[in-house]
Amino acid sequence: MASARGTVAARVPETDEGLQGDELALKYDEMQRHIRDNGWLEEKIEDILKAEIDSGEVLELGCGPGYLGLEWITRADASARLVGLDISPAMLRRASTNADGYGVTGRCTYTCGTVLALPFADHRFDHAISASSLHEWADPVTALSEMHRVLRPGGRYCVSDLRRDVDRTTFQFMKANIAADMRPGFRTSIRSSYVKSEVEEILRGTALETAVVTEVQMGIVITGRKEVP
């Protein structure tokens, strides 16, 4: 693992198949619920709201068990709607159950699919969000371009993820708050995540070239707006 500003280890790509199967989905759900219950989703929700994403029909890429989108929709305008997409059917079953627990089933829809070929029409969504998923995408340029395609002109996006050059103190804190059997996967995710300069290079020459890339303590946030023709 790299130190904060020292030599950063080379990126080691992670699988793009997601966490498949009910047992892994349950363990990941428990981890994400623990993160939510300790308030560690708050920064991500604030980043989304600061990006002026608080209404309309919103797409969540790589939604997993759904906690990010569910926490967001409880604070968004009452008319807001959420469509969560994940490659794992087991995760989507968890997300649907969690939406019922939040009492927002009527405002949420979950779809199985890949970020590399989103199963939605052009200009479908008002906004798009994602967290802790970017490092898993086999082709981030294609995935982000797909996100841009399904956004309406003027639509905003907020994509956050881990970062490989997180400082050691933060890394140890994050690891200590994850169940022991999930820690190897967490380390793998850190190794496969990007640093700011790499994200900027990914965005260069794409439709998201004007996005703002910001470092935060535990990761990276990409925000922007699809230009109106």
Side-chain angles (χ1 to χ4, degrees):
M1 218 256 325
S3 60
R5 292 300 173 199
T7 301
V8 180
R11 179 174 180 265
V12 180
E14 191 174 39
T15 175
D16 60 348
E17 296 176 355
L19 294 176
Q20 301 288 344
D22 290 325
E23 184 177 352
L24 277 177
L26 173 60
K27 290 180 180 296
Y28 191 75
D29 181 279
E30 291 171 345
M31 182 181 76
Q32 289 297 312
R33 192 182 319 126
H34 176 73
I35 288 171
R36 178 204 64 185
D37 291 347
N38 281 278
W40 300 327
L41 278 181
E42 291 300 313
E43 184 178 28
K44 292 183 175 66
I45 302 301
E46 287 301 314
D47 287 334
I48 293 169
L49 296 174
K50 285 177 185 175
E52 299 181 43
I53 300 174
D54 59 4
S55 61
E57 187 176 35
V58 174
L59 172 64
E60 181 182 1
L61 300 173
C63 65
Y67 291 111
L68 178 80
L70 293 170
E71 287 292 309
W72 167 79
I73 204 168
T74 61
R75 306 175 203 200
D77 187 87
S79 65
R81 295 292 182 270
L82 177 73
V83 176
L85 178 130
D86 202 276
I87 199 169
S88 167
M91 285 293 187
L92 295 174
R93 288 192 289 272
R94 286 277 158 194
S96 294
T97 298
N98 291 332
D100 185 57
Y102 273 75
V104 294
T105 300
R107 300 170 64 191
C108 300
T109 303
Y110 294 101
T111 300
C112 191
T114 172
V115 294
L116 301 181
L118 294 175
F120 307 112
D122 294 357
H123 310 153
R124 159 77 184 272
F125 295 99
D126 295 296
H127 308 294
I129 61 175
S130 180
S132 305
S133 185
L134 172 64
H135 67 275
E136 296 183 343
W137 300 345
D139 185 347
V141 171
T142 295
L144 291 169
S145 296
E146 277 289 279
M147 180 188 76
H148 186 271
R149 175 183 66 78
V150 301
L151 279 176
R152 294 181 179 132
R156 297 182 181 276
Y157 51 87
C158 181
V159 176
S160 61
D161 199 9
L162 301 166
R163 73 177 215 241
R164 200 165 70 256
D165 60 348
V166 65
D167 68 82
R168 185 164 294 278
T169 299
T170 301
F171 174 82
Q172 295 295 348
F173 172 80
M174 295 167 75
K175 187 178 76 170
N177 283 283
I178 294 173
D181 57 351
M182 297 296 285
R183 289 174 187 169
F186 170 68
R187 286 192 290 269
T188 298
S189 293
I190 288 287
R191 293 187 188 113
S192 65
S193 62
Y194 298 94
V195 299
K196 181 181 178 183
S197 60
E198 291 169 341
V199 173
E200 291 170 338
E201 181 60 31
I202 288 169
L203 298 176
R204 192 166 293 123
T206 73
L208 284 77
E209 189 169 29
T210 58
V212 175
V213 183
T214 306
E215 289 180 337
V216 294
Q217 183 178 8
M218 296 186 182
I220 289 175
V221 183
I222 308 166
T223 54
R225 178 174 178 267
K226 181 171 180 175
E227 295 184 8
V228 179

